[in-house]
Amino acid sequence: GDSVTQMEGPVTLSEEAFLTINCTYTATGYPSLFWYVQYPGEGLQLLLKATKADDKGSNKGFEATYRKETTSFHLEKGSVQVSDSAVYFCALSDLRSGGGADGLTFGKGTHLIIQP
Amino acid sequence: GAGVSQTPSNKVTEKGKYVELRCDPISGHTALYWYRQSLGQGPEFLIYFQGTGAADDSGLPNDRFFAVRPEGSVSTLKIQRTERGDSAVYLCASSGTLADTEAFFGQGTRLTVV
């Protein structure tokens, strides 16, 4: 079945540091890939997405590129801020089900802590 | 309201009891999803509604779990004969159309079975 593996946390960085959170996936078809973020006390929010190989999703200074050859979707940001502290989830959606949030498979989440 | 609303925010129940968890989606959203998040894990898909019907219930773990959405808006997740292993945060999300890849999540209901 489908699965998502992301790096264990917590990840602690200083403000303005470069961020990478690794994510790899296993899927039988051609999934869409997502990063969701959960800020303290809030619900999950879609951060960015990519629907086909070599697509780059970007939002709020974060980027991730859909790499089919390495089955990866690593999240990067050039200069993190304290306000980026949150839990980040990598996820995939098997397009057999039509997309949306039907049957999203999530990773376990990576807790990111940014220190001033 | 402006976002997906879930009630109650916290529920403590005794093993063997029946519980209902409610989700109010964003007004006008036709698709509604339930997920379960156990401690230290990512959310796991339970069931997806398109309108009033369950389009995909492949994630429901067993027949103790059931969900309804009778008027295509509010949904209720029902758990019979609760077990301690059912303790988790139950998340609801909604989106506008089948092709909409952005789903908006509520803050969840934390269920604790004692």
Side-chain angles (χ1 to χ4, degrees), chain A residues 22-58:
Chain A
N22 290 337
C23 171
T24 56
Y25 68 89
T26 302
T28 53
Y30 298 93
S32 292
L33 301 174
F34 307 82
W35 277 100
Y36 280 83
V37 59
Q38 187 168 31
Y39 298 105
E42 299 185 16
L44 277 171
Q45 301 173 26
L46 179 65
L47 180 60
L48 53 84
K49 66 177 191 258
T51 58
K52 62 182 187 296
D54 300 325
D55 268 2
K56 178 185 284 187
S58 61

Side-chain angles (χ1 to χ4, degrees), chain A residues 32 34 36 38 41-46 49 51 89 96-109, chain B residues 33 35 37 40-45 47-48 56 58 91 93 95 97-107:
Chain A
S32 292
F34 307 82
Y36 280 83
Q38 187 168 31
E42 299 185 16
L44 277 171
Q45 301 173 26
L46 179 65
K49 66 177 191 258
T51 58
F89 293 91
R96 66 168 169 80
S97 60
D102 177 21
L104 278 171
T105 300
F106 285 86
K108 292 185 177 182
Chain B
Y33 318 85
Y35 281 78
Q37 187 174 13
Q41 304 295 315
E44 295 176 299
F45 170 73
I47 187 170
Y48 153 54
D56 182 355
S58 61
L91 300 171
S95 65
T97 67
L98 181 63
D100 211 345
T101 53
E102 178 160 9
F104 296 86
F105 282 80
Q107 294 192 36

Side-chain angles (χ1 to χ4, degrees), chain B residues 9-96:
Chain B
S9 55
N10 281 283
K11 175 72 176 177
V12 180
T13 191
E14 292 181 348
K15 179 174 176 296
K17 298 289 189 184
Y18 168 84
V19 296
E20 291 189 350
L21 312 179
R22 177 188 169 103
C23 172
D24 279 271
I26 292 172
S27 179
H29 276 188
T30 56
L32 184 145
Y33 318 85
W34 283 99
Y35 281 78
R36 176 170 70 173
Q37 187 174 13
S38 301
L39 191 63
Q41 304 295 315
E44 295 176 299
F45 170 73
L46 294 176
I47 187 170
Y48 153 54
F49 287 90
Q50 184 60 241
T52 60
D56 182 355
D57 64 358
S58 61
L60 293 177
N62 52 59
D63 61 6
R64 295 187 297 106
F65 288 75
F66 189 70
V68 296
R69 195 185 184 201
E71 297 178 358
S73 178
V74 170
S75 177
T76 304
L77 178 65
K78 308 180 181 196
I79 311 174
Q80 298 177 318
R81 304 183 304 280
T82 52
E83 300 176 358
R84 293 198 177 88
D86 298 335
S87 297
V89 176
Y90 289 81
L91 300 171
C92 177
S94 69
S95 65

Side-chain angles (χ1 to χ4, degrees), chain A residues 11-15 19 21 37-42 62 77 80-88 110-116:
Chain A
V11 173
T12 304
L13 296 172
S14 297
E15 206 165 22
L19 168 70
I21 300 178
V37 59
Q38 187 168 31
Y39 298 105
E42 299 185 16
F62 289 89
K77 186 174 185 181
V80 292
Q81 305 300 313
V82 171
S83 58
D84 293 327
S85 298
V87 181
Y88 292 80
T110 302
H111 186 193
L112 176 65
I113 301 168
I114 307 300
Q115 297 177 332

